[in-house]
Amino acid sequence: MVYLAIFIGGAFGGGLRYLTSVMIHNTTFPLSTIIINVLGALLMGVVTTYFISYFKTHPNIKKMITTGFIGAFTTYSSLSLETVVLLKNGHIIIASLYLILSMIFGFIFIAIGYKKGTNHS
């Protein structure tokens, strides 16, 4: 049953990631991926803290949201590929900025989500 829950969450997360990337136009800087990953970090922080007691009795729902939906919505592989492409095309500063901003904003937004979720549980 947990596999089905992850599959369903992943289908929705992957679909939403695609729609988000279509709506946010990228130039040289891969803005859509950084926005998607930062939103995913915020959501992961809120969900894993705010619903902690609910998830204890509903572990399949937790897996559907965290591993399935958020896992498919966020995209480490796209971040890695876009960085390699930027480097290949000679955009060393943009690639470095992209990696640094992705990490910093990822940590900041998961911390914000964690704090928001903890304050409400």
Side-chain angles (χ1 to χ4, degrees):
M1 187 62 163
V2 70
Y3 297 111
L4 180 60
I6 292 169
F7 177 77
I8 291 168
F12 283 104
L16 185 59
R17 179 179 76 207
Y18 176 74
L19 289 174
T20 305
S21 68
V22 168
M23 291 172 38
I24 300 170
H25 179 69
N26 286 330
T27 56
T28 303
F29 190 84
L31 183 62
S32 64
T33 303
I34 200 167
I35 289 173
I36 288 166
N37 288 340
V38 167
L39 287 174
L42 177 67
L43 186 59
M44 183 68 84
V46 170
V47 165
T48 57
T49 54
Y50 187 77
F51 296 105
I52 194 164
S53 61
Y54 178 78
F55 287 154
K56 287 179 184 175
T57 57
H58 298 89
N60 289 350
I61 301 293
K62 178 183 181 185
K63 289 291 185 186
M64 180 174 66
I65 295 170
T66 57
T67 304
F69 180 79
I70 298 172
F73 179 65
T74 58
T75 172
Y76 184 75
S77 58
S78 291
L79 173 118
S80 300
L81 175 63
E82 290 164 348
T83 302
V84 167
V85 169
L86 285 168
L87 291 170
K88 181 179 177 239
N89 292 330
H91 300 291
I92 297 168
I93 293 174
I94 293 173
S96 301
L97 182 64
Y98 179 46
L99 286 175
I100 291 166
L101 289 175
S102 293
M103 293 302 297
I104 290 172
F105 284 132
F107 283 121
I108 289 171
F109 276 80
I110 203 161
I112 290 169
Y114 191 89
K115 184 167 178 62
K116 292 288 183 190
T118 303
N119 288 341
H120 290 89
S121 58

